[in-house]
Amino acid sequence: MQMNEVERIAQAAANAAQDKKATDVVVMNVHTLTPMADFFVVCSANSRPQVEAVARAIRDELHDLGVNCKGVEGMDEARWVLLDFGDIVVHVFRPEDREFYHIERLWGEADVYSVGESST
């Protein structure tokens, strides 16, 4: 998949999160920092039902775009749900867990932009 296409899909995931009222939605371009993924999408949701709804909405949206989820972690606790789409990894956090793990700080060299912005 071309980088522009991967970025477009990451943005679609971010938009799906925002549509379910996730907050502080950011897309992180990590392709030069790790072989794990090209983009991280990070967002917060305030309750267990909202975390689950955001994760489902993202998975459904990307499925509609032809991108299948390769794995889901954390849905049982719904405090930090990780969705693995291969080139894109989505993190849906409860606010207190996001603050504790602070993914943005761990990947501080990544280009970070909010929903609706572009890295180019």
Side-chain angles (χ1 to χ4, degrees), residues 16 35 39-41 46 76 89-91 94 96 101 107 114-115:
F39 289 91
F40 288 165
V41 176
N46 290 319
D76 291 339
V89 175
V90 179
H91 303 269
R94 295 281 288 276
E96 59 274 14
Y101 291 104
W107 297 95
S114 299
V115 173

Side-chain angles (χ1 to χ4, degrees), residues 41-43 47-48 50-56 58-59 69 71-84 89-94 97:
V41 176
V42 183
C43 63
S47 65
R48 179 186 183 128
Q50 187 185 19
V51 168
E52 293 169 348
V54 169
R56 276 194 309 274
I58 293 167
R59 190 170 48 195
C69 189
V72 178
E73 297 291 332
M75 196 66 98
D76 291 339
E77 295 289 320
R79 299 195 62 77
W80 173 7
V81 174
L82 183 144
L83 303 163
D84 179 2
V89 175
V90 179
H91 303 269
V92 184
F93 283 103
R94 295 281 288 276
D97 294 294

Side-chain angles (χ1 to χ4, degrees), residues 11-87:
Q11 193 67 45
N15 290 336
Q18 192 173 46
D19 288 348
K20 287 296 181 183
K21 309 299 186 215
T23 56
D24 300 321
V25 183
V26 296
V27 177
M28 302 175 69
N29 184 335
V30 296
H31 85 275
T32 61
L33 304 175
T34 179
M36 181 183 336
D38 291 331
F39 289 91
F40 288 165
V41 176
V42 183
C43 63
S44 299
N46 290 319
S47 65
R48 179 186 183 128
Q50 187 185 19
V51 168
E52 293 169 348
V54 169
R56 276 194 309 274
I58 293 167
R59 190 170 48 195
D60 291 348
E61 176 67 21
L62 270 55
H63 182 267
D64 290 348
L65 294 173
V67 181
N68 291 318
C69 189
K70 298 174 185 321
V72 178
E73 297 291 332
M75 196 66 98
D76 291 339
E77 295 289 320
R79 299 195 62 77
W80 173 7
V81 174
L82 183 144
L83 303 163
D84 179 2
F85 295 97
D87 294 331

Side-chain angles (χ1 to χ4, degrees), residues 107-119:
W107 297 95
E109 295 177 27
D111 290 331
V112 178
Y113 49 101
S114 299
V115 173
E117 294 180 6
S118 175
S119 67

